[in-house]
Amino acid sequence: MSAHDWGSLADSSSAREILDSALGVVAGAADFADVRLIEAEEMRSYVSLGGDPDERIEQNIGIGVRVLVDGQWGFAARPLASTADAAVAARDAHASAVALAGRGKPVSLPPREPSSGSYATSVGEDPFSVPTARRYELLADWLAAASAPAEVAAVQAGINAKRQHRHYADTEGSRQHQHFVETGAMVLVTARGHGDVQRRSYPNSFHGNTAAAGWEYLSSLSMAEQAARVGEEAVMLLTAPVAAPGRADVVIGPQQVSLQIHESSGHALELDRILGDEANYAGTSFIRPSDIGSLRYGSDAVTITSDPTVPGTRGSFAFDDEGTPARAFNLIDRGIVRNTLSNRDSAARSGQTLTGAARSDGWGYLPVCFATHVFLQPGQGSLDDLLQRMGDGYYIDDNRSWSIDNQRLNFQFGTEVAYEVKGGRRGRLLKNFSYGGITPQFWGSVEAVAGPSEFRSYGYPCGKGEPKQWGFLSHGASPMLVRDLRIGVA
């Protein structure tokens, strides 16, 4: 078994032997144990204006074993060079749990029926089968399109793909195999001139966009056409005016809403933050356990869901990394907090519903409570209908900057583009637009959300924990109308 031979864990029967050998080591000696056996390969190809091509391919395969003894977790992980590594990891994890017995708060897990099954991303064309020359031909086309205007100073274009086999087994009897494939692309343009520097990006300002899909996803993005558009817009922004600071009605586009959801909804509703267990990177949360079921978080127009099963979106899964089957929940129902993003331990300790949000970066990490797909549910009508309803104000989209406090409460966001809106029609392009607010007041000022035809989903990486882990997820929304927003704050 070698980390350089992709597909070593494609066979569920051979993977099951490894999983069972690890569980056999701790059988009868632990209250609970689970094993994750993961093979992953990631490819990132980048080109930049005037620079050399940069391609990185990373592979890894390994096993992580978690053992619960007398209320204390032990964890051990190893690269998988031979099947013997499974037993070594299990013994190490058990020894750690025994050594920690009697220390810290005891962990209890809620009862759960065993779940077994398989899941695979629907893929039209395997991105790893695409020849290198074909990738770089596309990247060169995007680079040329974006850099056509003379005032474009820098361009970066990239293609990324990742595939994983993730096997899971536990002492409750669950046996699962999931095969994930992700494909994405990005272009980032910087223009310089007239004493200013401006940037535009596509299809997402935060590392591009990545979907749970194959190579066919790139065809849906019209990258060359859109690269030319954002190149021209970056130059136009150099001489664009700035909106006067104050208060205004604003329609916020789906990409910017997606990051607003991530920072002020997804993180705020992670139960480990609510309980104070987790404060690294993004802090804790202004939401208290006693708020769940009664706190008014937003207006009646705001219903926010968690649904990891949505096909085609980055981070979709059928089982989380504790083996809990994925399903949809209302996190915010017509403005009221109803559920959190929870794992087994946090749900049992707080009495909250288990929502299957335990995720890990790979075999070398303990699962932690990560946001899953968190979506603002659409309302009715088109973007034009929403602009007509607003009348005078601004339309903004594509995140440029963000800042939020460690309670997920006070925030400031900047956007790459803004448009003045008069009488429901978009007018002048504006630059350096920013807005700020306090989370419940902001979501409480949402008057309307556009309909399903305007809904867009964006895949994100998210960092959490010490040592840091990356989680992958999606946030989606239709444009929404926010009344009386504070603008020009940064």
Side-chain angles (χ1 to χ4, degrees), residues 36 75 77 272-273 277-282 359-370 462-471:
R36 288 172 298 110
F75 176 73
D272 59 346
R273 297 190 191 282
D277 297 342
E278 169 65 32
N280 294 322
Y281 276 97
R359 316 280 303 282
S360 70
D361 196 348
W363 52 267
Y365 299 88
L366 276 164
V368 297
C369 188
F370 255 116
C462 173
K464 187 173 183 178
E466 292 284 355
K468 183 180 180 180
Q469 301 191 44
W470 286 106

Side-chain angles (χ1 to χ4, degrees), residues 43-47 53-57 126-140 159 215:
M43 173 189 66
R44 286 166 286 181
S45 302
Y46 296 97
V47 295
D54 178 10
E55 179 157 281
R56 304 171 194 181
I57 298 177
D126 180 2
F128 288 86
S129 70
V130 175
T132 301
R134 187 175 165 196
R135 289 200 303 275
Y136 281 100
E137 183 180 349
L138 281 179
L139 290 170
I159 292 173
W215 186 258

Side-chain angles (χ1 to χ4, degrees), residues 280-350:
N280 294 322
Y281 276 97
T284 56
S285 175
F286 71 94
I287 298 172
R288 306 273 75 84
S290 59
D291 292 334
I292 299 163
S294 60
L295 177 67
R296 177 155 287 281
Y297 171 93
S299 71
D300 286 347
V302 176
T303 291
I304 295 176
T305 60
S306 165
D307 186 0
T309 69
V310 176
T313 53
R314 187 182 202 185
S316 294
F317 57 85
F319 307 96
D320 78 355
D321 284 325
E322 289 184 324
T324 301
R327 59 191 176 104
F329 288 87
N330 274 5
L331 295 169
I332 309 291
D333 184 11
R334 288 172 291 178
I336 304 297
V337 176
R338 296 298 182 189
N339 278 301
T340 66
L341 295 155
S342 67
N343 59 0
R344 295 187 75 184
D345 173 28
S346 62
R349 188 148 43 88
S350 63

